[in-house]
Amino acid sequence: MPEVPSLPAAVAELRAALDAAGFTNESVSAHLGPDATEALYRGEPGVVFAACADGSELSRLIRFFLLREPISAEALAELLGSRLALSLLDATLATRLPSGEVQVALDVRPHVIAGENRLIVSDLDASTTAHVPGPDHVLGVGSASLSLLGAVPCSPVESVLDLGTGSGVQAIAQSACAQRVVGTDLHRRALELAEANLAGNGVGNVELREGAWFEPVAGQRFDRIVANPPFVVGLPEVGHVYRDSGLSLDGATELVVGEAPGHLAPGGTAHILGAWVHTAEQSWGQRVASWLPERGVSAWVLQRDVVDPGMYVSTWLRDESIDPRSREGVERTLRWLRHFRDEGVRAIGFGWVFLRDIGDAPTEITAEELTQPFTDPLAPEVAEYFERAAWLRDATTDTVLDARYLVRPGVAVEEVGVADHEAGMGFTPRVIRLTRTEGPRFSHEIDAGLRAIVAGLHPQGLPLRDVVDLWAVSNGVDSEAFAASAAAAVVDLVRHGLVVPADIAEVVA
């Protein structure tokens, strides 16, 4: 009796066949064109079907795998070969319908992950067919995964922990830059799909371990920790394992943020997606800060979005295919909101928590909102932020004044004026801003004096102290008093990378 192929073996064989057929993210997008590609991401399969009416091999692959169109067993054998078609059925990657046709049973989708063409297999979702995800649903590359992928550096390290690996997306991304990766998850089915994805993408340096939170790596430390935990803020129960932790409110984010520092190697970093509640008793920044130890961590917390409790609940109900207008939707909404009211929740924030081990130094925390639009990956900024923070950690006012600086390439000066109503003509200057035109596009309001100071900075030029003295003398200003305020302003500009100390300027090269 022939041996039934395992899911990892079937995915590996399928990946080879799809690569040979040009079924990659780039090729699919080029084949569909920009409009149909956007429709695919919006979940509008009819538009994509129309773009795949030419009967070509790539069109048929898109229809079968991405649009989940049932086809005859003979058609599948013609498309993939008889042996591979049978392997997909035996490994439950495809299933026979009562009609006798064959339909894909898992989501099979090409992606570009950390610059590499990858094939990711996960549970079916509702993107192109009507489908209600079950309690044990395993996600593929969703919006949260993409958000974290863009925020984690791919610089070489020895060890990486992917906490809550799910289908293995982050572990695969890190496998190219780490000597070894450990992926953990308490969900057995997630680990099975992660194993299949590792095999399908030829990744051999990732070890999968089953267990909750940090239990599988007790006593171990890593150069980099990546975590996309089940951070949905809600009741202390588990409806869907990929999003619900069983902990009340933001307990999942609190647990990961609080315990991650104890698993960082010297100088190691953690990159965590999370959510937190807003209450009347404390600011969101104070809440997240309270989860961290008093010593040993440099933390950068970025809040990307804030939503009111009602919108938050409705969003997550739709995520599990529950109509908020249905009886079940209304009942669930009332129960969820009652819990929020009892706990004093006014809003829910979402974003990233970045941590770096700094030995025995006092913990330092910067918590800020990142609401401005930006499209560049955040990962390079995270790495540079910690270099700038390290420089500032030991800097005194004299250190800041005696240093030379590089004004970041691409920084723009914006001068905003408003119509002069009293004069009836012309414009009255209102504000001057320094704005980065790349990365997270931080912007700072400055005055004319600081603008002149920044304009006089050069990495091989005068120290800040001398630039300040020249400006003060030429403008009849007390040099000593102005120097202190200028140093404080430059510290803020350094923190956001608008200007960079010359001795670490290579980090922006």
Side-chain angles (χ1 to χ4, degrees):
M1 184 174 182
E3 183 180 351
V4 176
S6 66
L7 182 60
V11 173
E13 188 179 358
L14 177 62
R15 166 70 191 273
L18 294 180
D19 277 356
F23 187 73
T24 65
N25 183 274
E26 183 178 348
S27 296
V28 168
S29 296
H31 184 76
L32 294 178
D35 294 340
T37 298
E38 286 298 319
L40 178 65
Y41 294 137
R42 291 196 306 267
E44 299 170 2
V47 178
V48 186
F49 270 116
C52 295
D54 59 2
S56 66
E57 179 185 30
L58 190 51
S59 285
R60 287 182 291 153
L61 289 171
I62 292 170
R63 292 168 72 106
F64 181 72
F65 286 109
L66 301 185
L67 301 179
R68 304 165 191 166
E69 179 183 40
I71 61 177
S72 67
E74 293 76 18
L76 182 62
E78 179 185 349
L79 185 61
L80 297 175
S82 299
R83 190 172 66 83
L84 179 54
L86 185 59
S87 294
L88 298 189
L89 288 165
D90 289 341
T92 67
L93 214 157
T95 187
R96 288 187 187 275
L97 301 177
S99 65
E101 292 181 303
V102 177
Q103 187 175 36
V104 67
L106 293 172
D107 188 84
V108 178
R109 199 171 295 265
H111 293 277
V112 175
I113 297 176
E116 298 288 336
N117 286 315
R118 302 293 193 180
L119 187 73
I120 300 298
V121 174
S122 61
D123 279 330
L124 295 175
D125 57 19
S127 60
T128 58
T129 54
H131 183 79
V132 178
D136 63 347
H137 181 81
V138 178
L139 291 173
V141 184
S143 57
S145 296
L146 291 170
S147 180
L148 188 56
L149 283 170
V152 182
C154 289
S155 52
V157 291
E158 180 181 337
S159 59
V160 172
L161 168 63
D162 178 16
L163 185 76
T165 190
S167 57
V169 173
Q170 305 297 330
I172 289 171
Q174 290 296 304
S175 67
C177 61
Q179 294 182 32
R180 63 182 182 91
V181 180
V182 175
T184 69
D185 210 296
L186 60 76
H187 190 194
R188 165 46 47 183
R189 175 166 174 75
L191 292 174
E192 290 171 354
L193 288 175
E195 182 183 6
N197 285 321
L198 295 175
N201 290 282
V203 175
N205 62 338
V206 176
E207 177 190 356
L208 299 175
R209 300 181 189 175
E210 185 174 0
W213 306 113
F214 290 93
E215 290 175 6
V217 292
Q220 293 183 259
R221 294 178 178 267
F222 298 84
D223 298 311
R224 182 176 295 149
I225 295 174
V226 182
N228 179 11
F231 55 73
V232 170
V233 175
L235 295 151
E237 58 190 27
V238 178
H240 292 76
V241 69
Y242 72 88
R243 66 175 215 183
D244 302 321
S245 67
L247 302 174
S248 183
L249 301 180
D250 47 16
T253 305
E254 177 182 2
L255 188 153
V256 176
V257 170
E259 294 192 17
H263 292 274
L264 287 177
T269 59
H271 310 259
I272 303 164
L273 274 184
W276 36 81
V277 301
H278 291 220
T279 67
E281 285 70 33
Q282 62 183 168
S283 71
W284 69 268
Q286 291 172 329
R287 185 177 183 88
V288 177
S290 71
W291 302 338
L292 292 166
E294 294 183 357
R295 305 186 71 84
V297 176
S298 176
W300 191 27
V301 187
L302 296 178
Q303 181 169 267
R304 185 61 175 154
D305 293 298
V306 182
V307 295
D308 67 82
M311 180 178 291
Y312 187 83
V313 171
S314 297
T315 297
W316 286 108
L317 287 177
R318 291 189 180 95
D319 174 76
E320 56 181 302
S321 300
I322 293 178
D323 189 338
R325 301 169 298 179
S326 67
R327 175 175 293 182
E328 180 186 8
V330 171
E331 291 174 352
R332 288 277 303 277
T333 298
L334 290 173
R335 185 163 172 260
W336 207 331
L337 291 179
R338 190 178 304 117
H339 183 57
F340 281 166
R341 183 196 63 213
D342 292 345
E343 297 294 335
V345 176
R346 295 188 170 186
I348 299 93
F350 167 83
W352 303 270
V353 179
F354 303 111
L355 309 175
R356 185 176 188 178
D357 176 84
I358 55 173
D360 193 43
T363 288
E364 56 188 30
I365 302 166
T366 299
E368 56 189 336
E369 294 190 75
L370 191 64
T371 56
Q372 65 268 24
F374 68 96
T375 55
D376 294 338
L378 198 56
E381 186 68 24
V382 175
E384 186 187 317
Y385 170 85
F386 285 124
E387 295 300 319
R388 301 193 303 259
W391 189 90
L392 290 171
R393 189 174 307 129
D394 299 323
T396 63
T397 298
D398 284 338
T399 305
V400 174
L401 288 170
D402 291 336
R404 295 171 172 81
Y405 298 87
L406 166 74
V407 178
R408 187 183 206 93
V411 166
V413 176
E414 300 176 273
E415 297 186 4
V416 179
V418 296
D420 191 330
H421 179 70
E422 292 185 3
M425 61 185 296
F427 295 89
T428 300
R430 181 60 58 88
V431 68
I432 304 172
R433 295 192 189 96
L434 281 182
T435 302
R436 286 178 55 177
T437 58
E438 41 63 60
R441 290 164 171 74
F442 289 117
S443 185
H444 284 238
E445 291 188 8
I446 61 173
D447 58 21
L450 186 56
R451 171 184 170 162
I453 298 301
V454 172
L457 299 178
H458 190 281
Q460 285 86 46
L462 296 174
L464 175 62
R465 187 188 303 275
D466 292 346
V467 176
V468 168
D469 285 344
L470 288 172
W471 188 89
V473 169
S474 62
N475 287 271
V477 174
D478 178 77
S479 165
E480 187 173 343
F482 185 65
S485 63
V490 167
V491 164
D492 286 340
L493 297 180
V494 169
R495 196 172 303 281
H496 280 159
L498 286 94
V499 301
V500 182
D503 39 343
I504 62 167
E506 68 275 5
V507 302
V508 305

